[in-house]
Amino acid sequence: MSQPDRSTSAGRSYLFTSESVTEGHPDKICDQVSDAILDALLAKEAELQAAGYVSPSGVPANVDNVRCACETFVTTGTVIIAGEIRTEAYLDVQTIARDVIRRIGYTRAKFGFDADTCGVLNLIHEQSPDIAAGVDESFDAQAGRTTDPLDLVGAGDQGMMFGYATDETDVYMPMPHYLASRMAERLTEVRKNGQVPYLRPDGKTQVTVRYEDDRPVEVTAIVVSTQHDASIEDMNVIKADMVDYVIAPVMDTVGIEWHDAEIYVNPTGRFVVGGPMGDTGLTGRKIIVDTYGGMGRHGGGCFSGKDCTKVDRSAAYAARWVAKNVVAAGLAHRCEIELAYAIGVSHPLSVMVDTFGTGAVPDEKIEKAVEKVFDLRPGAIIRDLDLRRPIYEKTAAYGHFGRELPEFTWERADRVDELRAAVAALG
């Protein structure tokens, strides 16, 4: 049963703000290290499986058996990696971490952090067998109630996950978050390609959009805070470059007015000390940046460092997939999906659809169509979205959603016709 429609904001003007961060932000360094470790586990286990490797204890390598829950912490000169994994592969965690930090651009001590000289402490240990038991063989399978292979995989944790989509941008993302994310991405691009050579890896962006009748009509404020070389003392130089190389190239792509927006660039002045030297970082502290910029709800679980049996990640991806297909099918202008799971149980406990009063048909019909078209068991999500691949480091900066990359299978609008047919069959 779906919840009653929440009232929309139609008929009034309001402002909504979202932020993003660059890949050099301390928290995002941690997300990327954690996901690089997950990718390495999946890649190396797959290699061992292809080679027919069997451990000395008689366990064959199998990528389906990989488990990972990896957290990273960074501070001045130090990286600490902890968590639980299960694999037959050997990982050089220190090298993986240093490679990520080097790719981001922390390669000199004068930047406040150096991939080659920072300390890396590995505290990873084996996954709890109590957790593994319910994930490897679901509650129903253990009770002998099913032999369906897709019922054998239990959810890796309890909790609720949300997915959201809106037709206000071509990629079905909220306008403020889309703009903030693309600006953060552009900030890194112009640093790495040398267009603005004095930039350093750490940075944040923020965009405020005015809505009329629930549609974005104007950007009213833009904030860019970027780490820079100490030799640049005139903030007007940085502001002019940010407008020319970062703000305008992004804003001009979406077709809404921005030229009268208040623009703040490094509003406190110098930003020379940044990255882990300026602030500590931790995996999973940018969950709103990772998702919808606050426009949609969030179940609270982070994504990075978690393998696909953890529904915090895989079910959130599936919920986005469902919501995007609902909106792409023209069944609503906005759609939010909630899924809920219990650890070790293979079927979702609930599926909720909310179109905020924008649905072309009642939410109850869309909900029934979703349940007919999408199999939202963890095993089916892993299969349909092909999640046992080393694709995750790419997700760990600039948003898990709204980026139509080949690896991001949850961004496909591939169930549109089936959803329309299922709704039509309901009469």
Side-chain angles (χ1 to χ4, degrees), residues 410-423:
W410 50 93
E411 290 297 313
R412 299 181 306 202
D414 56 353
R415 300 287 176 93
V416 166
D417 292 340
E418 291 174 70
L419 275 173
R420 288 173 180 157
V423 168

Side-chain angles (χ1 to χ4, degrees), residues 67 128-140 142 151-156 342-346:
R67 301 289 182 269
S128 162
D130 295 337
I131 294 174
V135 179
D136 294 343
E137 188 178 19
S138 71
F139 176 79
D140 286 336
Q142 291 182 39
D151 278 334
L152 298 181
V153 180
I343 188 169
V345 177
S346 62

Side-chain angles (χ1 to χ4, degrees), residues 187-416:
L187 196 55
T188 295
E189 181 183 349
V190 299
R191 169 176 63 88
K192 288 186 171 181
N193 69 18
Q195 285 184 285
V196 190
Y198 59 78
L199 296 182
R200 299 296 177 254
D202 198 357
K204 301 180 78 171
T205 59
Q206 185 170 292
V207 177
T208 301
V209 173
R210 182 168 63 85
Y211 283 75
E212 298 280 358
D213 295 327
D214 274 343
R215 307 304 295 177
V217 297
E218 177 189 18
V219 175
T220 64
I222 300 167
V223 183
V224 177
S225 296
T226 180
Q227 187 185 11
H228 60 88
D229 185 87
S231 65
I232 306 299
E233 298 182 352
D234 187 349
M235 292 302 108
N236 291 320
V237 171
I238 300 177
K239 182 173 181 177
D241 284 343
M242 292 302 96
V243 172
D244 290 345
Y245 292 104
V246 175
I247 296 171
V250 171
M251 295 295 161
D252 287 344
T253 65
V254 293
I256 64 173
E257 179 53 43
W258 66 272
H259 293 88
D260 293 330
E262 296 180 271
I263 297 176
Y264 302 92
V265 174
N266 287 14
T268 63
R270 284 163 54 90
F271 182 4
V272 173
V273 178
M277 188 175 180
D279 195 6
T280 58
L282 184 66
T283 298
R285 283 206 301 205
K286 287 292 177 282
I287 59 176
I288 300 303
V289 169
D290 284 344
T291 53
Y292 309 102
M295 188 71 83
R297 287 178 286 193
H298 199 294
C302 81
F303 303 154
S304 290
K306 296 178 180 178
D307 73 83
C308 57
T309 65
K310 277 71 169 175
V311 283
D312 277 341
R313 182 168 220 160
S314 55
Y317 289 177
R320 161 64 177 176
W321 182 40
V322 174
K324 183 171 182 176
N325 274 270
V326 168
V327 176
L331 298 176
H333 293 294
R334 298 166 60 202
C335 181
E336 186 173 72
I337 306 293
E338 185 201 35
L339 306 175
Y341 294 86
I343 188 169
V345 177
S346 62
H347 287 260
L349 304 183
S350 66
V351 178
M352 186 275 291
V353 173
D354 190 348
T355 65
F356 310 97
T358 71
V361 297
D363 287 358
E364 289 81 358
K365 280 192 176 182
I366 299 175
E367 200 167 273
K368 289 177 181 177
V370 164
E371 292 179 344
K372 180 178 180 181
V373 172
F374 294 91
D375 188 340
L376 296 169
R377 292 174 294 172
I381 292 170
I382 292 168
R383 175 199 65 190
D384 292 342
L385 297 182
D386 197 10
L387 296 179
R388 295 196 191 277
R389 297 174 296 142
I391 59 172
Y392 296 104
E393 189 183 348
K394 281 189 177 182
T395 69
Y398 312 116
H400 293 245
F401 309 122
R403 299 163 62 205
E404 296 180 330
L405 302 175
E407 298 89 347
F408 289 29
T409 50
W410 50 93
E411 290 297 313
R412 299 181 306 202
D414 56 353
R415 300 287 176 93
V416 166

